[in-house]
Amino acid sequence: MEQYRTRPAPHPQRPPAQRRRPPTGVPAQSGGAPRRPAVARRLPRPRLTGLGGGLFACTAMVLVGGVCWLLFSSSLFVYGLLFPPVAAATALWVRPADLITAPIGVPIAFAAGVWPISGGSGGFGGQLMGLVSALSLHAGWLYAGTLVAALIALVRKAVLIGRRRLPRRAA
């Protein structure tokens, strides 16, 4: 029985002289891509997957919780104040394909990081009650950081959709 190809045939290799030439109208540089502005070159590109973004946010918030516990005697205000920048960084660094995971992962990171400074005492039940109390009393910070992540993800998604539609309109 004959088996058919599932992949298209590979493109024939071009001679090295043709591979090095950039396309017409693009400045000569490595890869032939147009140059980005200096500010955009300094910023890190979004590379985190959905799981990586959640792990980044959880790790960052546990570290922030530890710093607040050590330096600010478990100040939930300082912890809440540092949550929106972590949420924004998570939403900015996640891949475009995984943008929906940023507003989902940051509240989980808030809960994971508030545990060391929640102030519970006396076993698992006391720790759990301290965690629930801290989450309920500082829900404003939780909502603010989640809203920041959701707005950034929404704007990034709108820009991506706009870029996709732009070549269609020009044609």
Side-chain angles (χ1 to χ4, degrees):
M1 179 172 202
E2 186 176 338
Q3 292 184 355
Y4 297 99
R5 293 188 99 157
T6 57
R7 295 183 190 172
H11 295 288
Q13 292 290 328
R14 293 184 206 166
Q18 287 181 352
R19 270 188 257 149
R20 290 191 187 119
R21 269 190 241 147
T24 58
V26 177
Q29 67 178 30
S30 64
R35 295 184 66 91
R36 294 186 306 164
V39 174
R41 282 184 296 216
R42 280 185 269 150
L43 296 175
R45 288 186 161 191
R47 298 252 189 239
L48 296 174
T49 62
L51 179 62
L55 289 174
F56 164 74
C58 283
T59 304
M61 290 313 296
V62 166
L63 289 175
V64 166
V67 167
C68 288
W69 177 66
L70 287 172
L71 299 179
F72 300 107
S73 64
S74 299
S75 172
L76 285 169
F77 175 75
V78 175
Y79 178 80
L81 195 64
L82 294 173
F83 176 61
V86 170
T90 303
L92 285 171
W93 290 340
V94 76
R95 292 186 320 175
D98 297 327
L99 279 174
I100 192 67
T101 62
I104 295 169
V106 292
I108 297 169
F110 185 89
V114 83
W115 173 73
I117 59 173
S118 60
S121 60
F124 179 73
Q127 290 289 328
L128 185 62
M129 287 306 296
L131 178 66
V132 170
S133 297
L135 288 173
S136 64
L137 291 173
H138 296 281
W141 291 112
L142 177 62
Y143 293 146
T146 306
L147 183 65
V148 165
L151 287 176
I152 290 173
L154 184 68
V155 168
R156 284 186 62 199
K157 188 67 173 179
V159 167
L160 287 171
I161 290 172
R163 284 183 185 168
R164 262 188 242 144
R165 289 186 181 178
L166 188 63
R168 289 182 195 165
R169 289 182 185 170

